[in-house]
Structures are given as C-alpha cells and as structure tokens.
Amino acid sequence: MSSESFLKEIQGIGEKFLLKLQKLPKAEPVEIVCFCVVLLFIVTVLVLMIIACSCCCYSCCGCDGRPDTRSKRSQVRPAAH
C-alpha cells in the first residue's frame, strides 16, 4: 500500500467520522449508544496500548536512565577440573 492511498484511506475514515458526528444530534437513541460504545472501545484500546508501551519501556530502561540489572541473568559455566 502506497503512502498516498493510505493517506486517502485515513482521510476517508476521518470524513465519515465527522459526518457521523454531525448527524449524531438527530440520531435515534440506539444509534447514539452504539456510537458511544464503539468510541469507548477505541479509547480503551488506545489507553491500554499506551500503558503497555510505557510499562515495557519502564522495565527495559528504567526512569533514571539505567538499565534494569535484575532482569539480566549471567551464564553459569561448568568448573574445570
């Protein structure tokens, strides 16, 4: 998929979303509830992705800039006789 077609697809989705928002005040209550559920699902997924990425980054790098040495394991080699 080229970048132009991807941008056109994103623009089309954005236009549909804005059209849906414009029609929302005149919509039926069931349609409003469905729209809110879908919107809540999208927001929940984005928040969970942000939390997962921040936890992963925190455990990998740490906030103070030092790598976490507790997660590293050293290899044990057999003793030579």
Side-chain angles (χ1 to χ4, degrees):
M1 179 180 257
S2 69
S3 62
E4 286 183 24
S5 64
F6 179 72
L7 289 176
K8 286 182 182 179
E9 187 72 27
I10 295 296
Q11 184 179 5
I13 292 172
E15 288 173 359
K16 288 179 186 177
F17 182 73
L18 287 176
L19 185 64
K20 193 69 158 173
L21 280 177
Q22 289 172 352
K23 292 181 179 179
L24 201 58
K26 300 172 190 169
E28 295 179 16
V30 174
E31 192 175 356
I32 293 173
V33 170
C34 292
F35 183 77
C36 290
V37 167
V38 169
L39 195 63
L40 182 66
F41 175 75
I42 292 171
V43 169
T44 303
V45 168
L46 290 175
V47 167
L48 288 175
M49 284 178 55
I50 291 170
I51 291 171
C53 290
S54 64
C55 289
C56 179
C57 182
Y58 179 78
S59 67
C60 179
C61 311
C63 276
D64 54 359
R66 296 180 300 166
D68 191 7
T69 56
R70 293 178 290 171
S71 63
K72 293 183 181 178
R73 296 182 182 200
S74 60
Q75 289 184 339
V76 178
R77 297 182 182 177
H81 291 286

Coordinates of all heavy atoms in Angstrom, one line a residue:
M1 N 0.9 -1.2 0.0 CA 0.0 0.0 0.0 C 0.9 1.2 0.0 O 1.8 1.4 0.9 CB -0.9 0.0 1.2 CG -1.8 1.1 1.4 SD -2.8 1.1 2.8 CE -4.4 0.6 2.1
S2 N 0.7 2.1 -1.0 CA 1.5 3.3 -1.1 C 1.0 4.3 0.0 O -0.1 4.2 0.5 CB 1.4 3.9 -2.5 OG 0.1 4.4 -2.7
S3 N 1.9 5.3 0.2 CA 1.6 6.3 1.2 C 0.4 7.2 0.8 O -0.4 7.6 1.6 CB 2.8 7.1 1.5 OG 3.2 7.8 0.4
E4 N 0.3 7.4 -0.5 CA -0.9 8.2 -1.0 C -2.2 7.5 -0.8 O -3.2 8.2 -0.3 CB -0.7 8.5 -2.5 CG 0.4 9.6 -2.7 CD 0.5 9.9 -4.2 OE1 -0.5 9.7 -4.9 OE2 1.5 10.4 -4.7
S5 N -2.3 6.2 -1.1 CA -3.5 5.5 -0.9 C -3.8 5.4 0.6 O -5.0 5.4 1.0 CB -3.5 4.2 -1.6 OG -2.5 3.3 -1.0
F6 N -2.8 5.2 1.4 CA -3.0 5.2 2.9 C -3.5 6.5 3.4 O -4.5 6.5 4.2 CB -1.7 4.8 3.6 CG -1.8 4.7 5.1 CD1 -2.5 3.7 5.7 CD2 -1.2 5.7 5.9 CE1 -2.6 3.6 7.0 CE2 -1.3 5.7 7.2 CZ -2.0 4.6 7.8
L7 N -3.0 7.6 2.9 CA -3.5 8.9 3.4 C -4.9 9.2 2.9 O -5.7 9.7 3.7 CB -2.5 10.0 2.9 CG -1.2 10.1 3.5 CD1 -0.3 11.1 2.8 CD2 -1.3 10.4 5.0
K8 N -5.2 8.7 1.7 CA -6.6 8.9 1.2 C -7.6 8.0 2.0 O -8.7 8.5 2.3 CB -6.7 8.5 -0.3 CG -6.1 9.5 -1.2 CD -6.2 9.1 -2.6 CE -5.6 10.1 -3.6 NZ -5.7 9.7 -5.0
E9 N -7.1 6.8 2.4 CA -8.0 6.0 3.3 C -8.2 6.6 4.6 O -9.3 6.6 5.1 CB -7.3 4.6 3.4 CG -8.2 3.6 4.1 CD -9.3 3.1 3.2 OE1 -9.2 3.1 2.0 OE2 -10.3 2.7 3.8
I10 N -7.2 7.1 5.2 CA -7.3 7.8 6.5 C -8.2 9.1 6.4 O -9.0 9.3 7.3 CB -5.9 8.2 7.1 CG1 -5.1 7.0 7.4 CG2 -6.0 9.1 8.3 CD1 -5.7 6.1 8.5
Q11 N -8.0 9.8 5.3 CA -8.9 11.0 5.1 C -10.3 10.6 4.9 O -11.2 11.2 5.5 CB -8.4 11.7 3.9 CG -9.2 13.0 3.6 CD -8.7 13.8 2.4 OE1 -7.8 13.3 1.7 NE2 -9.2 15.0 2.2
G12 N -10.6 9.5 4.2 CA -12.0 9.0 4.0 C -12.6 8.6 5.4 O -13.8 8.9 5.6
I13 N -11.8 7.9 6.2 CA -12.3 7.5 7.5 C -12.6 8.7 8.4 O -13.6 8.8 9.1 CB -11.3 6.6 8.2 CG1 -11.2 5.2 7.5 CG2 -11.6 6.3 9.7 CD1 -10.1 4.3 7.9
G14 N -11.7 9.7 8.3 CA -12.0 10.9 9.1 C -13.2 11.7 8.6 O -14.0 12.2 9.4
E15 N -13.4 11.7 7.3 CA -14.6 12.4 6.8 C -15.9 11.6 7.2 O -16.9 12.3 7.6 CB -14.5 12.5 5.3 CG -13.5 13.5 4.8 CD -13.3 13.5 3.3 OE1 -14.0 12.6 2.6 OE2 -12.5 14.3 2.8
K16 N -15.9 10.3 7.2 CA -17.0 9.5 7.6 C -17.3 9.8 9.1 O -18.5 9.9 9.5 CB -16.8 8.1 7.4 CG -16.9 7.7 5.9 CD -16.6 6.2 5.8 CE -16.5 5.8 4.3 NZ -16.2 4.3 4.1
F17 N -16.2 9.9 9.9 CA -16.4 10.1 11.3 C -17.0 11.5 11.6 O -17.9 11.6 12.4 CB -15.0 10.0 12.0 CG -15.0 10.1 13.5 CD1 -15.6 9.2 14.3 CD2 -14.6 11.3 14.1 CE1 -15.6 9.3 15.7 CE2 -14.6 11.5 15.4 CZ -15.1 10.4 16.2
L18 N -16.5 12.5 10.9 CA -17.1 13.8 11.0 C -18.5 13.9 10.6 O -19.4 14.6 11.2 CB -16.2 14.9 10.3 CG -14.9 15.2 10.8 CD1 -14.1 16.1 9.9 CD2 -15.0 15.8 12.2
L19 N -18.9 13.2 9.5 CA -20.2 13.2 9.1 C -21.1 12.5 10.1 O -22.2 12.9 10.4 CB -20.3 12.4 7.7 CG -21.7 12.4 7.1 CD1 -22.1 13.8 6.7 CD2 -21.6 11.5 5.8
K20 N -20.6 11.4 10.7 CA -21.4 10.7 11.8 C -21.6 11.6 13.0 O -22.7 11.6 13.6 CB -20.6 9.5 12.2 CG -21.4 8.5 13.0 CD -22.5 7.9 12.1 CE -22.9 6.6 12.7 NZ -24.1 6.1 12.0
L21 N -20.5 12.4 13.3 CA -20.7 13.3 14.4 C -21.7 14.4 14.2 O -22.4 14.9 15.0 CB -19.3 14.0 14.8 CG -18.3 13.1 15.6 CD1 -17.0 13.9 15.7 CD2 -18.9 12.8 16.9
Q22 N -21.7 14.9 12.9 CA -22.7 15.9 12.5 C -24.1 15.4 12.6 O -25.1 16.1 12.9 CB -22.4 16.5 11.2 CG -21.1 17.3 11.1 CD -20.7 17.6 9.7 OE1 -21.3 17.2 8.7 NE2 -19.7 18.5 9.5
K23 N -24.3 14.1 12.3 CA -25.7 13.6 12.3 C -26.1 13.0 13.7 O -27.3 12.7 13.9 CB -25.8 12.4 11.3 CG -25.7 12.8 9.9 CD -25.8 11.6 8.9 CE -25.7 12.0 7.5 NZ -25.8 10.8 6.6
L24 N -25.2 13.0 14.6 CA -25.4 12.4 15.9 C -26.6 13.1 16.7 O -27.4 12.4 17.3 CB -24.1 12.4 16.7 CG -24.1 11.3 17.8 CD1 -24.4 9.9 17.3 CD2 -22.8 11.4 18.6
P25 N -26.7 14.4 16.7 CA -27.8 15.0 17.5 C -29.2 14.6 17.0 O -30.1 14.6 17.8 CB -27.6 16.5 17.3 CG -26.1 16.7 17.0 CD -25.8 15.4 16.2
K26 N -29.3 14.3 15.7 CA -30.6 13.9 15.2 C -30.8 12.4 15.2 O -31.9 12.0 14.7 CB -30.7 14.4 13.7 CG -30.6 15.9 13.6 CD -30.5 16.4 12.2 CE -30.1 17.8 12.1 NZ -29.8 18.2 10.7
A27 N -29.9 11.7 15.6 CA -29.9 10.2 15.5 C -30.9 9.6 16.6 O -31.2 10.3 17.6 CB -28.5 9.6 15.7
E28 N -31.2 8.4 16.4 CA -32.0 7.7 17.4 C -31.2 7.3 18.6 O -29.9 7.2 18.5 CB -32.6 6.4 16.8 CG -33.5 6.6 15.6 CD -34.0 5.3 15.0 OE1 -33.8 4.3 15.7 OE2 -34.5 5.4 13.9
P29 N -31.8 7.1 19.8 CA -31.0 6.8 21.0 C -30.2 5.5 20.8 O -29.1 5.5 21.4 CB -32.1 6.6 22.0 CG -33.3 7.4 21.6 CD -33.2 7.3 20.1
V30 N -30.7 4.5 20.1 CA -29.9 3.3 20.0 C -28.6 3.5 19.2 O -27.6 3.0 19.5 CB -30.8 2.2 19.2 CG1 -30.0 1.0 18.9 CG2 -32.0 1.9 20.1
E31 N -28.7 4.4 18.2 CA -27.6 4.7 17.4 C -26.6 5.5 18.2 O -25.3 5.3 18.0 CB -28.0 5.5 16.1 CG -26.9 5.6 15.1 CD -27.4 6.3 13.8 OE1 -28.6 6.6 13.7 OE2 -26.6 6.5 12.9
I32 N -27.0 6.4 19.0 CA -26.1 7.2 19.9 C -25.4 6.3 20.8 O -24.2 6.4 21.0 CB -26.9 8.3 20.6 CG1 -27.5 9.3 19.6 CG2 -26.1 8.9 21.7 CD1 -28.4 10.3 20.2
V33 N -26.1 5.3 21.4 CA -25.5 4.4 22.4 C -24.5 3.5 21.6 O -23.4 3.3 22.2 CB -26.6 3.5 23.1 CG1 -25.9 2.4 23.8 CG2 -27.4 4.4 24.0
C34 N -24.8 3.0 20.5 CA -23.8 2.2 19.7 C -22.6 3.0 19.4 O -21.5 2.5 19.5 CB -24.5 1.7 18.4 SG -25.8 0.5 18.7
F35 N -22.8 4.2 19.0 CA -21.6 5.1 18.6 C -20.8 5.3 19.9 O -19.5 5.3 19.8 CB -22.1 6.4 18.1 CG -21.0 7.3 17.6 CD1 -20.3 7.1 16.4 CD2 -20.6 8.4 18.4 CE1 -19.3 8.0 16.0 CE2 -19.6 9.3 18.0 CZ -19.0 9.0 16.8
C36 N -21.4 5.5 21.0 CA -20.6 5.7 22.2 C -19.9 4.5 22.7 O -18.7 4.6 23.1 CB -21.5 6.2 23.4 SG -22.2 7.9 23.1
V37 N -20.5 3.3 22.5 CA -19.8 2.1 22.8 C -18.6 1.9 21.9 O -17.5 1.5 22.4 CB -20.8 0.9 22.7 CG1 -20.1 -0.5 22.7 CG2 -21.8 0.9 23.8
V38 N -18.7 2.1 20.6 CA -17.6 2.0 19.7 C -16.5 3.0 20.1 O -15.3 2.6 20.1 CB -18.0 2.1 18.2 CG1 -16.9 2.3 17.3 CG2 -18.9 1.0 17.8
L39 N -16.9 4.2 20.3 CA -15.9 5.2 20.7 C -15.2 4.8 22.0 O -14.0 5.0 22.1 CB -16.6 6.6 20.9 CG -15.7 7.8 20.9 CD1 -14.9 7.9 19.6 CD2 -16.6 9.0 21.1
L40 N -15.9 4.3 23.0 CA -15.3 3.9 24.3 C -14.4 2.7 24.0 O -13.3 2.7 24.6 CB -16.4 3.5 25.2 CG -16.0 3.0 26.6 CD1 -15.3 4.2 27.4 CD2 -17.2 2.5 27.4
F41 N -14.7 1.8 23.1 CA -13.8 0.7 22.8 C -12.5 1.2 22.2 O -11.4 0.8 22.6 CB -14.5 -0.3 21.9 CG -13.6 -1.4 21.4 CD1 -13.3 -2.4 22.2 CD2 -13.1 -1.3 20.1 CE1 -12.5 -3.5 21.8 CE2 -12.3 -2.3 19.7 CZ -12.0 -3.4 20.5
I42 N -12.6 2.1 21.3 CA -11.4 2.7 20.6 C -10.5 3.4 21.7 O -9.3 3.2 21.7 CB -11.8 3.6 19.5 CG1 -12.4 2.8 18.4 CG2 -10.6 4.4 19.0 CD1 -13.0 3.6 17.3
V43 N -11.1 4.2 22.5 CA -10.3 4.9 23.5 C -9.7 3.9 24.5 O -8.5 4.1 24.9 CB -11.3 5.9 24.3 CG1 -10.6 6.5 25.5 CG2 -11.7 7.0 23.3
T44 N -10.4 2.9 24.9 CA -9.9 1.9 25.8 C -8.7 1.2 25.2 O -7.6 1.0 25.9 CB -10.9 0.8 26.2 OG1 -12.1 1.5 26.7 CG2 -10.4 -0.2 27.2
V45 N -8.8 0.8 24.0 CA -7.6 0.1 23.3 C -6.4 1.1 23.2 O -5.3 0.6 23.5 CB -8.0 -0.3 21.9 CG1 -6.8 -0.8 21.1 CG2 -9.0 -1.5 22.0
L46 N -6.6 2.3 22.9 CA -5.5 3.3 22.8 C -4.9 3.5 24.2 O -3.6 3.5 24.3 CB -6.0 4.6 22.3 CG -6.3 4.6 20.8 CD1 -6.9 6.0 20.4 CD2 -5.1 4.2 19.9
V47 N -5.7 3.6 25.2 CA -5.1 3.8 26.6 C -4.4 2.5 27.0 O -3.3 2.6 27.6 CB -6.3 4.1 27.6 CG1 -5.8 4.0 29.0 CG2 -6.8 5.5 27.3
L48 N -4.9 1.4 26.7 CA -4.2 0.1 27.1 C -2.9 0.0 26.3 O -1.8 -0.5 26.9 CB -5.1 -1.1 26.9 CG -6.2 -1.3 27.9 CD1 -7.1 -2.4 27.5 CD2 -5.7 -1.4 29.3
M49 N -2.8 0.4 25.1 CA -1.6 0.4 24.3 C -0.6 1.4 24.9 O 0.6 1.0 25.0 CB -1.8 0.7 22.9 CG -2.5 -0.4 22.1 SD -2.8 0.1 20.4 CE -1.2 0.6 19.8
I50 N -1.0 2.5 25.3 CA -0.1 3.5 25.9 C 0.5 2.9 27.2 O 1.7 3.0 27.5 CB -0.8 4.8 26.1 CG1 -1.1 5.5 24.8 CG2 0.0 5.8 27.0 CD1 -2.0 6.7 24.8
I51 N -0.4 2.3 28.1 CA 0.0 1.8 29.3 C 1.0 0.6 29.1 O 2.1 0.5 29.7 CB -1.2 1.3 30.2 CG1 -2.0 2.5 30.6 CG2 -0.7 0.4 31.3 CD1 -3.3 2.1 31.3
A52 N 0.7 -0.2 28.1 CA 1.6 -1.4 27.8 C 3.0 -0.9 27.3 O 4.0 -1.4 27.8 CB 1.0 -2.3 26.8
C53 N 3.0 0.1 26.5 CA 4.2 0.6 25.9 C 5.1 1.3 27.0 O 6.3 1.2 27.1 CB 4.0 1.6 24.8 SG 3.4 0.8 23.3
S54 N 4.4 2.1 27.9 CA 5.1 2.7 29.0 C 5.6 1.7 30.0 O 6.8 1.9 30.5 CB 4.2 3.8 29.7 OG 3.1 3.2 30.3
C55 N 4.9 0.7 30.3 CA 5.4 -0.3 31.2 C 6.6 -1.1 30.6 O 7.6 -1.4 31.3 CB 4.3 -1.3 31.6 SG 3.0 -0.6 32.7
C56 N 6.5 -1.4 29.3 CA 7.6 -2.1 28.7 C 8.8 -1.2 28.7 O 9.9 -1.7 28.9 CB 7.2 -2.4 27.2 SG 8.5 -3.3 26.3
C57 N 8.7 0.1 28.4 CA 9.8 1.0 28.3 C 10.4 1.2 29.7 O 11.6 1.2 29.9 CB 9.4 2.3 27.7 SG 10.7 3.5 27.6
Y58 N 9.5 1.2 30.7 CA 10.0 1.4 32.1 C 10.8 0.2 32.6 O 11.8 0.3 33.2 CB 8.8 1.7 33.0 CG 9.2 1.9 34.5 CD1 9.8 3.1 34.9 CD2 9.1 0.8 35.4 CE1 10.2 3.2 36.2 CE2 9.5 1.0 36.7 CZ 10.0 2.2 37.1 OH 10.4 2.3 38.4
S59 N 10.3 -1.0 32.3 CA 11.0 -2.2 32.7 C 12.3 -2.4 31.9 O 13.2 -3.0 32.4 CB 10.1 -3.4 32.6 OG 9.9 -3.7 31.2
C60 N 12.4 -1.9 30.7 CA 13.6 -2.1 29.9 C 14.6 -1.1 30.3 O 15.8 -1.4 30.4 CB 13.2 -2.0 28.4 SG 14.6 -2.1 27.3
C61 N 14.2 0.2 30.4 CA 15.2 1.3 30.5 C 15.2 1.8 31.9 O 16.3 2.3 32.4 CB 14.9 2.4 29.6 SG 14.6 2.0 27.9
G62 N 14.1 1.8 32.6 CA 14.0 2.5 33.9 C 13.9 3.9 33.7 O 14.2 4.5 32.7
C63 N 13.3 4.6 34.7 CA 13.1 6.0 34.6 C 14.4 6.8 34.8 O 14.5 7.9 34.3 CB 12.1 6.5 35.7 SG 10.4 6.3 35.1
D64 N 15.3 6.3 35.6 CA 16.5 7.0 35.9 C 17.6 6.9 34.8 O 18.7 7.4 34.9 CB 17.1 6.6 37.2 CG 17.3 5.1 37.3 OD1 17.0 4.4 36.3 OD2 17.8 4.7 38.4
G65 N 17.3 6.2 33.7 CA 18.2 6.1 32.6 C 19.1 4.9 32.7 O 19.8 4.5 31.7
R66 N 19.2 4.2 33.8 CA 20.0 3.0 34.0 C 19.2 1.8 33.6 O 18.0 1.7 33.9 CB 20.4 2.8 35.4 CG 21.3 3.9 35.9 CD 21.7 3.6 37.4 NE 20.5 3.6 38.2 CZ 20.4 3.1 39.4 NH1 21.5 2.7 40.0 NH2 19.3 3.1 40.1
P67 N 19.8 0.8 32.9 CA 19.1 -0.4 32.6 C 18.8 -1.2 33.8 O 19.6 -1.1 34.8 CB 20.0 -1.2 31.6 CG 21.3 -0.4 31.7 CD 21.1 0.9 32.3
D68 N 17.8 -2.0 33.8 CA 17.4 -2.8 34.9 C 18.3 -4.0 35.0 O 18.2 -4.9 34.1 CB 15.9 -3.2 34.8 CG 15.4 -3.8 36.1 OD1 16.2 -3.8 37.1 OD2 14.3 -4.3 36.1
T69 N 19.1 -4.1 36.0 CA 20.1 -5.3 36.0 C 19.5 -6.5 36.7 O 20.0 -7.6 36.6 CB 21.3 -4.9 36.9 OG1 20.9 -4.4 38.1 CG2 22.1 -3.7 36.1
R70 N 18.3 -6.4 37.3 CA 17.7 -7.5 37.9 C 17.2 -8.5 36.9 O 17.1 -9.7 37.2 CB 16.5 -7.1 38.8 CG 17.0 -6.3 40.0 CD 15.8 -5.9 40.8 NE 15.1 -4.9 40.0 CZ 13.9 -4.4 40.3 NH1 13.3 -4.8 41.4 NH2 13.4 -3.4 39.6
S71 N 16.8 -8.0 35.7 CA 16.2 -8.9 34.7 C 17.3 -9.7 33.9 O 17.0 -10.7 33.3 CB 15.3 -8.2 33.8 OG 16.1 -7.2 33.1
K72 N 18.6 -9.2 34.0 CA 19.6 -9.9 33.3 C 20.1 -11.1 34.1 O 20.2 -11.0 35.3 CB 20.8 -9.0 33.0 CG 20.4 -7.8 32.1 CD 21.6 -7.0 31.8 CE 21.2 -5.9 30.9 NZ 22.3 -5.0 30.6
R73 N 20.4 -12.2 33.4 CA 21.0 -13.3 34.0 C 22.3 -13.6 33.5 O 22.6 -13.6 32.3 CB 20.0 -14.5 33.8 CG 18.7 -14.3 34.4 CD 17.8 -15.5 34.2 NE 16.5 -15.2 34.8 CZ 15.6 -16.1 35.1 NH1 15.9 -17.3 34.9 NH2 14.5 -15.7 35.6
S74 N 23.2 -14.0 34.4 CA 24.6 -14.4 33.9 C 24.6 -15.9 33.7 O 23.9 -16.7 34.3 CB 25.6 -14.0 34.9 OG 25.3 -14.6 36.1
Q75 N 25.4 -16.3 32.7 CA 25.5 -17.7 32.4 C 26.5 -18.3 33.4 O 27.5 -17.8 33.7 CB 26.0 -17.9 31.0 CG 25.0 -17.6 29.9 CD 25.5 -17.9 28.5 OE1 26.7 -18.0 28.3 NE2 24.6 -18.1 27.6
V76 N 26.1 -19.5 33.8 CA 27.0 -20.3 34.7 C 27.7 -21.3 33.8 O 27.1 -22.1 33.1 CB 26.2 -21.0 35.8 CG1 27.1 -21.8 36.7 CG2 25.4 -19.9 36.6
R77 N 29.0 -21.3 34.0 CA 29.8 -22.3 33.2 C 30.3 -23.4 34.1 O 30.6 -23.1 35.3 CB 31.0 -21.6 32.5 CG 30.5 -20.5 31.6 CD 31.7 -19.9 30.9 NE 31.2 -18.8 30.0 CZ 31.9 -18.0 29.3 NH1 33.3 -18.1 29.4 NH2 31.4 -17.1 28.5
P78 N 30.5 -24.6 33.6 CA 30.9 -25.6 34.4 C 32.4 -25.4 34.9 O 33.2 -24.8 34.1 CB 30.8 -26.9 33.6 CG 30.6 -26.4 32.2 CD 30.1 -25.0 32.3
A79 N 32.7 -25.8 36.1 CA 34.0 -25.6 36.6 C 35.0 -26.6 36.0 O 34.7 -27.8 35.8 CB 34.0 -25.8 38.1
A80 N 36.2 -26.1 35.6 CA 37.2 -27.0 35.0 C 37.9 -27.8 36.2 O 38.3 -27.2 37.2 CB 38.2 -26.2 34.2
H81 N 38.1 -29.1 36.0 CA 38.8 -29.9 37.0 C 40.3 -30.1 36.7 O 40.8 -30.3 35.7 CB 38.2 -31.2 37.1 CG 36.8 -31.1 37.8 ND1 36.6 -30.8 39.1 CD2 35.6 -31.2 37.2 CE1 35.3 -30.8 39.3 NE2 34.7 -31.0 38.2

